[in-house]
């Protein structure tokens, strides 16, 4: 997966994270192989001035999924729901591209989500240029390693990470609730790193 070199790392500018516009994105998929599987749904929510902007939340179902296979067991989205509520993926991606452009992309397990996003943008001749990528899974792994803890893979799931910060349980495997849950996790992680909100963006990427 091709990672972005943040614009602020090419210059002397290194803004405070709280001064940056962040877009938290989550995908539900038919599987985990970017070469074989498809996006079923996409959701995002913005973080502005260190606060989750609930009015910005969007949830989209991909009308163009070819084969759900066994994936509804996890995300619960059925073929009738796709037919009734889905939108063409090119329209979804065009909207997402405008939202992400020149902002900070946030994901939990960004290598997976960003890989699928890139694949679909290439397929549809679109481009997306977020300033940088913040991965809440990567941030949590770094924190646990600093604490010299032995890390099991199940400790880095989104629900497991939220538990360590005292965040409430939520309905997982829904793109919108997962995007909101990731946004809350990021704010909790940053709050532990720096409660005064003076941490630089480069410390999160």
């Amino acid at each position: 997966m091709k990672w972005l070199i943040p614009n602020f790392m090419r210059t002397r500018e290194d803004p405070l994270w709280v001064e940056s516009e962040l877009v938290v994105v989550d995908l539900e998929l038919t599987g985990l192989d970017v070469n074989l599987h498809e996006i079923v749904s996409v959701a995002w929510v913005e973080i502005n001035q260190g606060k989750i902007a609930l009015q910005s939340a969007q949830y989209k179902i991909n009308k163009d999924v070819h084969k759900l296979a066994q994936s509804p067991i996890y995300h619960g989205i059925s073929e009738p729901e796709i037919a009734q509520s889905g939108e063409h993926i090119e329209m979804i991606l065009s909207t997402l591209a405008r939202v992400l452009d020149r902002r900070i992309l946030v994901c939990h397990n960004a290598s997976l989500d960003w890989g699928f996003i890139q694949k679909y943008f290439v397929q549809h001749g679109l481009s997306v240029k977020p300033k940088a990528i913040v991965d809440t899974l990567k941030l949590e792994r770094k924190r646990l390693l600093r604490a010299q803890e032995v890390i099991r893979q199940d400790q880095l799931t989104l629900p497991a990470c939220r538990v360590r910060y005292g965040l409430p349980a939520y309905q997982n495997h829904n793109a919108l609730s997962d995007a909101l849950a990731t946004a809350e996790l990021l704010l909790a992680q940053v709050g532990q790193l720096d409660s005064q909100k003076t941490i630089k963006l480069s410390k999160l990427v």
Side-chain angles (χ1 to χ4, degrees):
M1 184 195 70
K2 183 179 178 182
W3 283 92
L4 294 171
I5 300 174
N7 292 338
F8 60 81
M9 289 186 175
R10 298 191 184 102
T11 68
R12 294 182 179 180
E13 180 187 3
D14 187 3
L16 298 176
W17 83 271
V18 75
E19 296 173 346
S20 303
E21 295 180 313
L22 299 92
V23 182
V24 186
V25 177
D26 188 81
L27 311 176
E28 292 301 323
L29 309 164
T30 61
L32 302 180
D33 189 328
V34 71
N35 296 311
L36 299 175
H37 297 126
E38 303 173 78
I39 293 175
V40 179
S41 61
V42 185
W44 62 85
V45 66
E46 297 175 25
I47 297 177
N48 298 316
Q49 297 181 334
K51 297 179 181 179
I52 299 171
L54 290 176
Q55 72 277 7
S56 70
Q58 295 288 323
Y59 174 68
K60 308 286 186 181
I61 295 176
N62 176 16
K63 188 176 186 176
D64 302 318
V65 175
H66 294 100
K67 187 177 181 181
L68 285 173
Q70 299 300 310
S71 63
I73 295 174
Y74 300 99
H75 54 64
I77 299 173
S78 63
E79 289 184 0
E81 185 176 1
I82 288 173
Q84 181 177 359
S85 305
E87 301 177 36
H88 290 298
I89 190 63
E90 188 168 1
M91 294 177 59
I92 296 171
L93 293 174
S94 296
T95 303
L96 180 59
R98 291 193 295 271
V99 172
L100 275 181
D101 191 45
R102 302 185 183 280
R103 291 178 175 152
I104 311 301
L105 170 63
V106 181
C107 300
H108 190 80
N109 192 4
S111 61
L112 179 65
D113 288 349
W114 179 236
F116 272 91
I117 291 170
Q118 285 186 307
K119 167 192 168 181
Y120 273 76
F121 271 80
V122 170
Q123 286 181 348
H124 292 275
L126 299 168
S127 63
V128 59
K129 296 179 181 179
K131 286 184 177 180
I133 298 173
V134 173
D135 187 345
T136 51
L137 184 153
K138 181 180 174 183
L139 284 174
E140 192 65 8
R141 181 188 291 117
K142 285 182 177 179
R143 188 186 73 81
L144 293 175
L145 288 173
R146 284 196 300 268
Q148 298 183 333
E149 295 189 25
V150 177
I151 304 173
R152 301 188 312 272
Q153 189 60 35
D154 62 358
Q155 288 181 288
L156 294 175
T157 64
L158 181 53
C161 291
R162 286 174 59 87
V163 166
R164 283 192 290 274
Y165 292 88
L167 295 170
Y170 72 104
Q171 177 192 357
N172 60 331
H173 293 303
N174 172 279
L176 182 55
S177 62
D178 281 356
L180 291 167
T182 300
E184 291 176 349
L185 175 61
L186 178 64
L187 296 187
Q189 289 173 319
V190 173
Q192 189 172 93
L193 287 169
D194 185 358
S195 61
Q196 300 302 312
K197 297 184 179 181
T198 57
I199 192 170
K200 298 288 188 178
L201 182 60
S202 62
K203 297 295 184 182
L204 303 181
V205 301

